[in-house]
């Protein structure tokens, strides 16, 4: 605890901590000091001059926001001189500010307005009418879809610039010019979309006036007509806390980041800020649909539920329970997912239950499970600020986990941490890297082994950690024995020196943290890749303490949770193995039913199983395999052969279209329940709007089907389901809704007094039976397809910032869809020249599985010889091209590398 | 060693060059060649000699004869008459009040001056370190680092009572002591050479005429506080000063007087130049730090003060050029020597650039506390063309005016603020009855409006509003309420601006309102500009 | 330019440099007055001056100033030179370059007045 | 990026290094070589020095010295420092502008002349003063002599 100082404020004596500002001190004692420009951690420059106070012994007035309390300080906060000064400065600001509150969208959401009210300023004595009401000049914000800037309403408080600089760490805008000509501007007044702006809207959220506003919000009403609900973002795995605002028609109209809360601390990305709109869409499913003669008809709930239950019972009867596959969803709540896996196991009687985690991080769950005994992120997002070195491999963090990318950039900028990025593409985050390694897709093991070889050779290993907390180091040494750095350089296409530099920087730093995503996992050697990463952390001892560890960044809002509650073919909740007699017995007793003994099939195997005639029916909750599976034509072909396909969704997705029955479900922003984010943080969802009364919660639909199938499932609400999960899952036991109302919690949390676990494997205590981590010897295997004369390029796929998953949501968000309306292929400029391609040319991309025609974007992002296509667009689906070569253990397909040909169309 | 019987010191200060000094020098070189005198006469290009209005100037040693207002045509006569025959060319001598002066020292302009800071200006070749060393340059530094502890150095400076010559007059020794006490592996000395006040060029003259005195002062400061690196932040508008500094730094490095292990001791100190880019606010020390770091020159919040956390977050001492130029003299001659000049609370001398409506404009140095009257009338030779003294403006845009009735005010850090003026960096602009004080206030305010960095509201918006009101008044549209509003607004700006620029921006207005309120009233009530400067649109 | 390695070296350099600046200093050991009053003596005087300069250079003597000023009336026989040393001014008139050289060696440098040629002396 | 402009920038970056604090010095040197700071040059500097373009733009527009556009062939700067001001600097400015038929800071249509103002060139002893092309300083001006000087460049 820091030193306590004696301070007098307005004649009364108080004690405050050393380092507290006067503003903070006043806040603590309930004194309201007006501020316009102050935002903690974002804008602390003291420019607005409204928070001035008197300090005894100092002639001029002092700013409360930037002046720290000192021993014996005597502060006055409300003299006439102070009032005069504040009012005058406010009037100076109002000299050029239009007094159009009645037509301003920010009316009553405007600090300037509040203060004018507070100080009783009807009209500034300095008002320059000509200046104030003339037509605003053209700005760089005029042409974009997301943000509007009205320079007349701008009071130059610089909150937006601070937000762009300190929160988003983008620096797309800044203060230009000087003096009264100062203006918030992009460089050269370039259109915002021509800068590196990522439209996260942090600037808008920071703006205390109507100068900056989200364009979609304009004309939707004033804030006092809105209702605000705090919930969790439904997009990626960061799990940002956001406040959603609905209007009186139950339409969502605005989103804000919730400040001072982990994990996002007020930040959002463009999808969080704007991506809620799909919920309002008229395309939402509102009635159950049953397909008859290839055509859907609306049906009553009763009919659709009965129909589904009967069909499933029929098929189960006829082909046995394992002829049915069940898919949960990483976009649904823990409660939904618990219910669906319980449905699969207890009602259908099969372990064929899986979800899209299979396609993103099954290698992680398997790999890290093997190495550490637990397959989840080891360290919290907030720990980024404790890292000296951040090592990112196979992650386009800026686009896939924008808010985490912001924290990473912030740590580099503010604390000078080093950033190493390894990626086949020169992504945005790579541009911030101190060391950027652009290796060929699918050569991660070679790269990581090379790094480890250097670390071992230069004796940079943590010998004590290896000795005390690991086993199997000799296997790694053996694998590295004959490993040659020149070969590694050739395989990866990376200069040896660069690899060496990265290895030394990572190994030597006191605290090094690893981040990875699909670039590592989506390979037929996904588990090997993950094991190699684990090896790297283990031999250097960079795990089990603050600012270290391995964070696989989870891709979907609840992918961690869906795994945690057992939507996997081999485990029940909390990763209790279905093959473990004891665990099975426990669940059998708990669910009062016999459970299947065999491990189920993975979703990536469903296609082949169907073609082989082993799988006859699939029940899907919110998944869209028709777009997202590798070699999607194969999937289409096989799903078409199913006898029965039931889908729960919010839209008629590509998968729903071929279903026999479709149930309309609630969207995430309409649900209660919990999500678990990428750092194992369980967070409470609250419904931000009421959906059409004819749609149901996903868990409720499943319960109804289950009950009709003869296994009674009745729950009062989500909390009741959660309590059931807690009861049977030791790692979640201590997490109650009541506690979550207060604050989110990270599992493991074994009892209600437990504060949750920020860091896994703390001090080297691993979850494996002997408490030691496993180091493995991993050998490099190239991708299944390597380029040849016929297919000379490597195709790699992935996400982009403005879209999500199969675009079922983002295509229904006008601003996102209009910003990136179609797919494209990134081609390296050298390749483009060889192929005689220009920007926006149409090209045909062919693989052994199919072809798509898509527009060219010449880009320095991919390495020569590599092309990139995003997977969001069902119209030009990258997964027509991808190969369904599976990792033998994790069953994850090799989305990230296959051979292709490209030609002008 | 080569000796020359004549040293012809040609002023190569910016002003004399501007007045055609180069043309004269070239003609002189040519004449010397013609007469075969190149082996006998040495031409030394010096820094500013002072009486700038009389330039281009040349002083011919050994006699010290001073020639003024030289043109290329004069070179021949000087060579043939003076250099060859020893007959001074009287028509080119300094004439004042029907008297003629052979040497500078005989002139009334020089008689009342005391030259400490300007000791070498106009006397040595600033591009030759040996001339500086001959005058005792770097001996103080040598003594500091071989015979004294940093505490000894600080004690002498404290005892001398030297106050920062940049404007505010903060005790230099105390600043050094504070910096000395900071615990940090890296500390910096910055020389503030961003002389920004319009009408002030003292610092430039020192840098052009005696750059080593500043380098030596910086190195001594570095030794005293424990810094090994210094930066000189200099206006880009001073190309000659930059050039001379670059040469001086290079020569000092080559002579081992800057760099690693100075004079065989383990004290290391080096200096780099940083060019400003045209922003007045960068004279403010925190803005200067930002600019030195390559950023927009916007002031930072204080505290922390630069001595705690300055350049790159390290303890930093920022001293102005003139302050640093005093240092080696104080070390050499002692605190008592220094204290015999000036007053008890403002010891030493102060350089002023005496300009405006005065007969002999130029660079001067007088003991602090010298009455304004002495400066304007004895040194400056009074007001030209039969006009009368109306006011003197000190401190540039941050300062105020001194009206005629206060002509006997001693010019020092205590007395000036009593009149609402400040010492400032030393710009002293004399005005006669043809200047309108409202217009002068407007001029300064326009300046601050243009030069405000724009960060804080009172300075950015407030000064602009004050200017609007002044424009109203000078066009005859003002009201008496406007005068009150000016005062009220001025006080809020002073009270709530973030940095010194804003806190002093209203001074010219408040000071003219105080001393020349009747002129404002004439503009407002009678719609008349008494000095007939303002084009009053509205007539009564 | 060589590195100065100690305070003593700095002081030595100072002394050397001061010698160069003698022309500008107040205090010098020897002041040599050479002036021309009558136009017809210009050339002869100039020869004397050049001889003086040459001799001083030859002897590597730098503690002097040459002042082109006539300290006496116009009746003096030119070429003329005067020498100020040890608070005493000695006037030599009607001299030749060779005489001038001897005066420099003997009087200016060694301090021995060349009595035979003295036309006037005065204490300062 | 026009290739001929790169060497000038590279030279400065070699001289000053890529640390952020060198930015202003690099800009100075670059402008010295190129006469102004074109957008593509600043973009290049941003990349090389790892400073965001908005920061560079903020710096460039903050300081009077830096120019984003090509300057006139002859730049005449009239001093409006206090000494010049009280001695009639504004009249000089007006005379020059009238003669060239431009406003302060504008460039003549033929691109040959511009008239700027400066806050003080420190030649107060010769007030009023003007500077041509940053090097030729003329003092003690009257509107007539100022025009005479201008004519010499026309």
């Amino acid at each position: 605890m820091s030193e306590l100082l004696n301070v007098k404020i307005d004649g009364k004596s108080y004690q405050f901590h050393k380092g507290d500002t006067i503003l903070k001190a006043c806040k603590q004692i309930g004194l309201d000091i007006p501020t316009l420009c102050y935002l903690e951690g974002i804008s602390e420059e003291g420019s607005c001059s409204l928070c001035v106070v008197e300090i005894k012994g100092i002639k001029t007035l002092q700013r409360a926001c930037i002046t720290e309390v000192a021993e014996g300080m005597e502060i006055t906060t409300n003299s006439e001189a102070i009032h005069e000064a504040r009012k005058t400065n406010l009037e100076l600001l109002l000299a050029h500010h239009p007094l159009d509150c009645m037509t301003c969208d920010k009316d009553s959401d405007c600090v300037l307005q509040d203060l004018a009210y507070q100080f009783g300023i009807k009209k500034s004595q300095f008002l320059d009418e000509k200046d104030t009401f003339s037509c605003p000049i053209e700005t760089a914000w005029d042409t974009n879809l997301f943000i509007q800037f009205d320079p007349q309403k701008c009071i130059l408080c610089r909150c937006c610039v601070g937000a762009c600089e300190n929160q988003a760490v983008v620096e797309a805008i800044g203060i230009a010019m000087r003096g009264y000509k100062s203006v918030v501007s992009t460089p050269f007044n370039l259109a915002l979309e021509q800068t590196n702006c990522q439209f996260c809207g942090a600037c808008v959220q920071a703006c205390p006036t109507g100068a900056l506003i989200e364009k979609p919000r304009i004309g939707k009403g004033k804030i006092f007509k809105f209702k605000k609900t705090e919930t969790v973002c439904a997009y990626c795995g960061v799990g940002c806390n956001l406040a959603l605002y609905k209007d009186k028609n139950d339409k969502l109209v605005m989103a804000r980041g919730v400040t001072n809360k982990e994990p996002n601390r007020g930040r959002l990305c463009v999808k969080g800020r704007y991506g809620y709109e799909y919920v309002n869409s008229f395309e939402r499913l509102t009635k159950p649909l049953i397909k008859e003669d290839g055509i859907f008809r609306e049906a009553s709930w009763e009919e659709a539920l009965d129909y589904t239950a009967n069909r499933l019972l029929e098929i189960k009867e006829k082909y046995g329970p394992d002829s049915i596959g069940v898919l949960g969803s990483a976009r649904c709540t823990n409660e939904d997912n618990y219910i669906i896996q319980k449905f699969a196991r207890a009602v259908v009687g099969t372990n064929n239950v899986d979800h899209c985690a299979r396609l993103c991080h099954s290698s992680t769950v398997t790999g890290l499970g093997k190495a550490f005994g637990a397959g989840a992120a080891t360290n919290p997002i907030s720990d980024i600020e404790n890292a000296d070195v951040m090592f990112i491999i196979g992650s386009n963090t800026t686009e896939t986990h924008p808010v985490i990318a912001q924290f990473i950039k912030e740590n580099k900028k503010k604390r000078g941490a080093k950033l190493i990025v390894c990626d086949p593409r020169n992504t945005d985050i790579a541009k911030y890297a101190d060391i950027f390694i652009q290796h060929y897709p699918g050569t991660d093991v070679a790269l990581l082994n090379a790094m480890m070889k250097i670390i071992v050779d230069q004796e940079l290993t943590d010998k004590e950690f290896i000795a005390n907390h690991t086993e199997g180091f000799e296997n790694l040494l053996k694998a590295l024995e004959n490993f040659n750095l020149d070969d590694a350089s050739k395989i990866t296409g990376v200069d040896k020196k660069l690899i060496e530099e990265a290895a030394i920087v990572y190994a030597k730093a006191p605290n090094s943290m690893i981040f990875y995503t699909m670039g590592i996992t989506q390979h037929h050697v996904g588990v090997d890749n993950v094991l190699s990463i684990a090896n790297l952390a283990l031999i250097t001892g960079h795990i089990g303490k603050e600012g270290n560890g391995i964070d696989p960044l989870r891709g979907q809002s609840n992918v961690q949770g869906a795994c945690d509650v057992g939507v996997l073919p081999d485990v029940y909740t909390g990763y209790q193995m279905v093959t473990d007699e004891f665990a099975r017995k426990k669940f059998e007793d708990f669910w009062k039913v016999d459970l299947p003994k065999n491990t189920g099939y993975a979703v990536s195997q469903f296609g082949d199983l169907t073609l082989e005639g082993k799988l006859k029916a699939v029940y899907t909750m919110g998944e869209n395999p028709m777009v997202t599976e590798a070699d999607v034509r194969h999937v289409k072909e096989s799903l078409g052969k199913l006898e029965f396909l039931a889908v729960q969704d919010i839209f008629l997705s590509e998968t729903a279209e071929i279903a026999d029955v479709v149930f309309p479900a609630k969207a995430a922003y309409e649900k209660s329940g919990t999500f678990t984010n990428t750092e194992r943080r369980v967070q409470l969802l609250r419904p931000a709007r009421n959906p059409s009364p004819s749609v149901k919660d996903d868990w409720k639909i499943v319960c109804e089907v289950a009950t009709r199938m003869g296994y009674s499932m009745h729950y009062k609400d989500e909390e009741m389901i959660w309590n059931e999960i807690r009861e049977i899952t030791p790692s979640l036991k201590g997490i109650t809704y009541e506690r979550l109302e207060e604050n989110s919690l990270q599992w493991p949390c074994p009892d209600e007094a437990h504060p949750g676990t920020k860091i896994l494997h703390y001090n080297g205590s691993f979850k494996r039976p002997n408490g030691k981590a496993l180091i493995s010897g991993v050998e490099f295997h190239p991708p299944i397809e390597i380029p040849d004369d016929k297919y000379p390029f490597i195709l790699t796929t992935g996400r982009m910032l403005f879209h999500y998953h199969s675009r079922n949501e983002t295509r229904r968000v006008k601003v996102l869809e209009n910003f990136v309306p179609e797919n494209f292929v990134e081609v390296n400029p050298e390749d483009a020249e060889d192929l005689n391609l220009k920007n926006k040319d149409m090209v045909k991309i062919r693989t052994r599985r199919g072809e798509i025609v898509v527009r060219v974007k010449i880009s320095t992002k991919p390495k020569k010889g590599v092309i990139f296509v995003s997977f969001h667009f069902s119209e030009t689906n990258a997964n027509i091209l991808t190969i369904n070569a599976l990792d033998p253990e994790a069953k994850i397909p090799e989305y990230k590398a296959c051979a292709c040909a490209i030609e002008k169309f | 060693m080569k000796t020359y019987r004549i040293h012809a010191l040609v002023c190569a200060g910016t002003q004399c060059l501007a007045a055609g000094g180069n043309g004269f020098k070239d003609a002189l070189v040519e004449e010397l060649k013609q007469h075969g005198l190149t082996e006998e006469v040495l031409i030394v290009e010096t820094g500013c000699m002072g009486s700038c209005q009389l330039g281009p100037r040349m002083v011919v040693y050994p006699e010290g004869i001073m020639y003024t207002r030289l043109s290329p045509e004069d070179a021949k006569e000087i060579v043939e008459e003076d250099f060859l025959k020893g007959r001074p060319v009287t028509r080119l001598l300094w004439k004042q009040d029907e008297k003629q002066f052979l040497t500078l020292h005989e002139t009334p302009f020089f008689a009342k001056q005391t030259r400490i800071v300007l000791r070498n200006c106009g006397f040595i070749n600033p591009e030759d370190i040996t001339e500086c060393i001959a005058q005792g340059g770097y001996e103080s530094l040598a003594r500091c680092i071989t015979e004294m502890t940093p505490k000894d150095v600080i004690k002498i400076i404290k005892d001398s009572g030297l106050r920062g010559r940049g404007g505010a007059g903060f005790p230099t020794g105390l600043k050094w002591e504070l910096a000395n006490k900071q615990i940090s592996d890296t500390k910096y000395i910055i020389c503030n050479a961003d002389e920004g006040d319009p009408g002030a060029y003292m610092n430039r003259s020192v840098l052009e005429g005696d750059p080593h005195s500043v380098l030596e002062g910086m190195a001594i400061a570095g030794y005293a506080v424990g810094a090994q690196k210094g930066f000189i932040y200099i206006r880009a508008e001073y190309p000659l000063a930059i050039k001379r500094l670059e040469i001086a730094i290079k020569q000092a490095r080559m002579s081992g007087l800057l760099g690693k292990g100075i004079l065989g001791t383990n004290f290391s100190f080096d200096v780099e130049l940083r060019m400003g880019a045209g922003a007045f606010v960068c004279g403010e020390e925190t803005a200067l730090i930002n600019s030195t770091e390559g950023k927009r020159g916007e002031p930072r919040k204080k505290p922390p003060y630069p001595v705690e956390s300055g350049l790159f977050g390290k303890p930093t001492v920022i001293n102005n050029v003139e302050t640093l130029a005093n240092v080696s003299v104080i070390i050499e001659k002692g605190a008592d020597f220094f204290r015999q000049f000036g007053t008890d609370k403002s010891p030493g001398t102060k350089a002023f650039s005496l300009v405006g409506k005065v007969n002999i404009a130029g660079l001067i140095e007088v003991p602090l506390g010298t009455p304004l009257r002495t400066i304007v009338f004895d040194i400056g030779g009074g007001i030209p063309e039969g006009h009368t003294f109306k006011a003197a403006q000190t401190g540039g845009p941050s300062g105020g005016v001194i009206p005629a009735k206060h002509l006997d005010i001693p010019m020092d850090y205590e007395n000036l603020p009593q009149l609402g003026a400040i010492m400032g960096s030393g710009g002293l602009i004399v005005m006669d009855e043809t200047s309108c004080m409202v217009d002068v206030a407007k001029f300064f305010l326009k300046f601050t409006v243009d030069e405000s960095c724009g960060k804080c509201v009172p300075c950015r918006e407030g000064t602009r509003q004050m200017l609007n009101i002044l424009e109203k008044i000078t066009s005859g549209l003002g009201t008496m309420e406007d005068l009150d509003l000016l005062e009220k607004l001025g006080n809020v700006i002073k009270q709530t601006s973030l940095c010194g620029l804003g806190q002093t921006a209203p001074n010219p207005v408040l000071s003219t309102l105080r001393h020349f309120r009747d002129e404002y009233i004439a503009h407002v009530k009678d719609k008349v500009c008494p000095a007939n400067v303002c084009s009053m649109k509205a007539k009564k | 330019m060589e590195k100065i390695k100690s305070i003593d070296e700095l002081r030595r350099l100072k002394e050397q440099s001061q010698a160069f600046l003698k022309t500008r200093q107040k205090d010098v050991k020897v002041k040599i007055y050479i002036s021309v009053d009558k136009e017809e003596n210009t050339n002869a005087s100039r020869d004397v001056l050049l001889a003086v300069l040459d001799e001083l250079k030859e002897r590597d003597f730098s503690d002097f100033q040459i002042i082109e000023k006539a300290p006496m009336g116009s009746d003096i026989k030119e070429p003329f030179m005067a020498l100020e040393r040890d608070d005493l001014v000695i006037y030599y008139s009607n001299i030749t370059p060779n005489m001038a050289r001897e005066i420099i060696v003997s009087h200016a440098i060694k301090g021995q007045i060349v009595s035979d040629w003295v036309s006037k002396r005065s204490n300062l | 990026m026009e290739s001929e402009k790169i060497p000038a920038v590279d030279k400065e970056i070699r001289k000053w290094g890529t640390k952020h604090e060198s930015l202003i010095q690099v800009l100075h040197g670059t402008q010295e070589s190129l006469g102004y700071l074109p957008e593509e040059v600043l973009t290049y500097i941003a990349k090389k020095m790892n400073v965001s373009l908005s920061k560079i733009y903020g710096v460039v527009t903050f300081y009077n010295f830096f120019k984003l556009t090509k300057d006139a062939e002859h730049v005449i700067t009239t001093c409006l420092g206090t000494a010049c001001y009280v001695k009639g600097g504004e009249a000089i400015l007006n005379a020059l502008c009238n003669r060239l038929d431009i406003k302060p800071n504008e460039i003549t249509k033929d691109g040959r002349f511009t008239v700027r103002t400066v806050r003080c060139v420190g030649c107060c002893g010769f007030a009023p003063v003007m500077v041509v092309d940053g090097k030729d300083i003329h003092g003690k001006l009257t509107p007539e002599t100022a025009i005479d000087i201008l004519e010499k460049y026309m």
Side-chain angles (χ1 to χ4, degrees), chain A residues 93-131:
Chain A
L93 284 174
L94 287 164
H96 317 283
H97 188 93
L99 308 173
D100 61 351
C101 298
M102 56 281 248
T103 51
C104 181
D105 283 281
K106 278 287 206 55
D107 178 17
S108 66
D109 187 17
C110 170
V111 186
L112 187 65
Q113 187 192 44
D114 286 351
L115 289 171
Y117 174 80
Q118 197 181 316
F119 282 85
I121 304 167
K122 234 178 188 176
K123 186 178 148 184
S124 166
Q125 57 181 323
F126 308 111
L127 182 70
D128 181 340
E129 302 218 8
K130 209 175 80 209
D131 209 35

Side-chain angles (χ1 to χ4, degrees), chain C residues 2 16 19 22 31 44 48 59 83 99 105 108-110 116:
Chain C
E2 272 186 36
Q16 284 169 28
K22 279 295 170 193
K31 283 186 180 164
V48 168
R59 305 283 163 178
L83 225 136
M99 286 164 75
V105 175
I109 298 174
K110 295 184 188 151
D116 296 357

Side-chain angles (χ1 to χ4, degrees), chain A residues 153-174:
Chain A
K153 290 183 183 168
C154 176
I155 53 165
L156 287 166
C157 66
R158 303 179 175 212
C159 289
C160 55
V161 174
C164 194
E165 215 176 295
N166 300 320
Q167 283 196 299
V169 202
V170 165
E171 297 186 10
I173 55 169

Side-chain angles (χ1 to χ4, degrees), chain A residues 161 165 170-179 185-190 196 412-413 431-433, chain D residues 37-40 42-43 50-65 68 119:
Chain A
V161 174
E165 215 176 295
V170 165
E171 297 186 10
I173 55 169
I175 292 284
M177 313 299 169
R178 191 173 77 196
S185 172
T186 62
F188 310 100
N189 208 24
L190 287 173
N196 57 338
K412 179 176 156 57
K413 186 178 163 181
K431 292 189 174 75
Y432 290 80
Chain D
L37 297 168
E39 184 180 327
E40 72 265 27
L42 295 180
T43 309
N50 208 4
V51 182
S52 70
L53 195 56
S54 64
K55 278 263 180 297
I56 293 189
Y57 185 69
V59 167
V60 168
T61 55
F62 184 87
Y63 295 99
N64 290 346
F65 221 77
L68 287 166
R119 59 174 206 254

Side-chain angles (χ1 to χ4, degrees), chain B residues 15 18-19 52-53 196 198-199 204 235 274-278 280 291 293 295-297 355-357 439 443-444 447, chain D residues 16 21 24-25 28 58 62-66 80-83 85-87 119-126 137 140:
Chain B
Q15 301 216 45
C52 308
Q53 202 169 6
R204 174 167 84 185
R235 298 179 71 191
R274 286 288 180 272
M275 266 187 284
F280 173 72
S291 188
E293 291 179 2
K295 302 174 184 157
R296 285 166 66 87
V355 296
K357 300 290 180 65
D439 185 62
F443 165 78
F444 279 114
F447 181 87
Chain D
W16 294 101
E21 68 249 34
I24 290 172
Q25 311 308 316
H28 263 305
F62 184 87
Y63 295 99
N64 290 346
F65 221 77
F66 297 129
L80 286 186
T82 323
Y85 185 76
V86 301
K87 290 198 150 190
R119 59 174 206 254
C120 186
V121 289
C123 281
C124 316
F126 290 109
I137 308 179
K140 293 185 185 168

Side-chain angles (χ1 to χ4, degrees), chain B residues 337-355:
Chain B
F337 166 81
F338 191 74
R339 279 199 168 273
Q340 61 179 333
F341 308 103
T343 67
D344 190 36
K345 283 185 174 166
S346 302
T349 59
K350 178 80 193 80
F352 289 98
S353 64
L354 176 64
V355 296

